[in-house]
Amino acid sequence: MSRQAARRPGLGILAVPAAVVVVVALLAGLGVVDVWVALALVPVAAVVAGLGYVRGLRRFHQQRAEDVERLVATGRWTSFGGQGEPDVPGGVLSFPKGEPLASTVGHTFGGPVLRTRVDGREVWTLELGVQYRSGGTYSETGAQESGPTTPAEPYHLVLTHLDRDLGRVEVKASGVGDAVRSDLEVGVPEFDKAFTVRTQSERTAKEWLAGGGGADLARQGADALHGGRLRLDGSTLIWWRKGHQDLDLLDDVARLVARAGAFLPR
C-alpha cells in the first residue's frame, strides 16, 4: 500500500484531557484556581475525550475501508464479508481454536475477511475477537453461577487449510528462558537457537521442521514471524498475533504461511 494502514484509536487519545484535569486539580490544591473549576472541568474533559475517540474511530473505519479497496485493487487479495456473510466459507470461521483463541463465551469477527493465493495455496486473513467468562461464584443453595463476560480481545490470524489432521505444533521466536521450556530440539542448530517449539506431536514437529521447514524459517530469521506465532493446529496452519488486524503485514505473513505449509509432511 502507498501509505501506512489505518490504526485503530487507543486510550492514548485520553492523554491530553486527562493531563488538563490533573494540572487544574494541582492548581486547585495550591489555591491558584477554585475547586469548583476543577470539578466542573472533569465532565467537560470526559465529553471532549469521548467525542475525540468517536471521531478517531470514524476516521479509522473510513481509512480501513479505503486501505482494503487498495489491497483488492492490486489483484492479489479478494475481500469477503464478516461473520454470517454467505460468501465466506464456513471453514474459515470454524477453524480449531486452541489457547488463547479458545473461548468459554464466543467469538466475534472484526474487520474484513480477505483471501489470497500464494504458490497455489489459498490463504485467509481475519480478525478474531475472543471473549472469556471470569470465574464464577456459588450461591447460598450451592449452585454455581457464571461470572461476567470479559470484553473481546482481538487477535490477527492468517491461515490456510490442510488436507488432513497433522496434530498440534507451535513455533515462536525464542525469548528469555525459552531454552529450558522448549518441548524439543529439531536438530537444525540455527533454528533451535532462534525458535521455541511446543508440540503434542513430536513426530510431526520433527518431520516438518527438521525436514526443511526449520532451516527455511532460520534463513528468514525470527523477525519473519512479526512478533506472532506459527501454529499447526490439526488441519489448519495459523499465524496469529494478539492485536487488531494489521493490513501492512498481510503480504509478508501470507508468504510466510504458504512457505511453511510447503514443508509439512505429506
Side-chain angles (χ1 to χ4, degrees):
M1 289 181 294
S2 59
R3 66 176 179 182
Q4 188 179 37
R7 300 296 177 187
R8 189 183 301 266
L11 294 179
I13 202 168
L14 305 176
V16 173
V20 171
V21 171
V22 170
V23 170
V24 174
L26 290 174
L27 293 176
L30 295 173
V32 178
V33 298
D34 292 334
V35 174
W36 69 265
V37 174
L39 294 176
L41 190 61
V42 172
V44 173
V47 170
V48 171
L51 290 175
Y53 181 80
V54 170
R55 290 185 60 186
L57 195 60
R58 188 176 300 163
R59 287 196 300 270
F60 164 78
H61 286 300
Q62 180 178 353
Q63 186 180 336
R64 173 53 62 95
E66 294 172 357
D67 291 339
V68 171
E69 288 179 3
R70 275 193 295 277
L71 273 175
V72 173
T74 65
R76 297 193 302 270
W77 291 87
T78 302
S79 180
F80 294 79
Q83 185 181 27
E85 293 290 338
D87 57 350
V88 180
V92 177
L93 305 181
S94 60
F95 54 89
K97 303 179 182 70
E99 293 292 342
L101 307 178
S103 171
T104 58
V105 179
H107 300 85
T108 59
F109 294 87
V113 177
L114 299 167
R115 182 193 67 193
T116 191
R117 187 171 290 274
V118 182
D119 297 333
R121 183 179 295 276
E122 197 171 71
V123 181
W124 296 81
T125 177
L126 56 91
E127 179 180 316
L128 182 71
V130 182
Q131 292 178 287
Y132 303 95
R133 194 180 299 280
S134 61
T137 59
Y138 289 92
S139 66
E140 294 180 357
T141 62
Q144 187 173 10
E145 299 176 349
S146 297
T149 301
T150 63
E153 295 182 338
Y155 290 85
H156 182 185
L157 278 70
V158 178
L159 60 97
T160 187
H161 289 295
L162 311 172
D163 295 333
R164 59 193 178 96
D165 190 324
L166 292 174
R168 176 78 174 273
V169 182
E170 184 164 88
V171 178
K172 76 178 189 71
S174 295
V176 177
D178 281 327
V180 297
R181 295 199 302 268
S182 182
D183 284 356
L184 81 162
E185 293 185 350
V186 302
V188 180
E190 297 83 1
F191 174 85
D192 290 332
K193 181 179 179 180
F195 296 92
T196 296
V197 179
R198 302 297 173 84
T199 182
Q200 297 174 354
S201 179
E202 183 173 330
R203 179 179 177 181
T204 298
K206 288 189 173 181
E207 288 182 359
W208 176 26
L209 299 169
D216 186 67
L217 281 172
R219 281 192 295 270
Q220 295 180 69
D223 290 342
L225 295 183
H226 296 284
R229 303 189 182 196
L230 194 60
R231 174 185 294 176
L232 175 58
D233 194 347
S235 60
T236 308
L237 180 61
I238 306 172
W239 172 91
W240 67 270
R241 188 178 77 172
K242 188 173 183 178
H244 293 289
Q245 189 178 43
D246 190 337
L247 299 183
D248 284 333
L249 298 180
L250 296 193
D251 288 329
D252 289 345
V253 177
R255 284 193 294 271
L256 169 74
V257 171
R259 285 171 64 99
F263 290 98
L264 287 169
R266 301 293 181 182

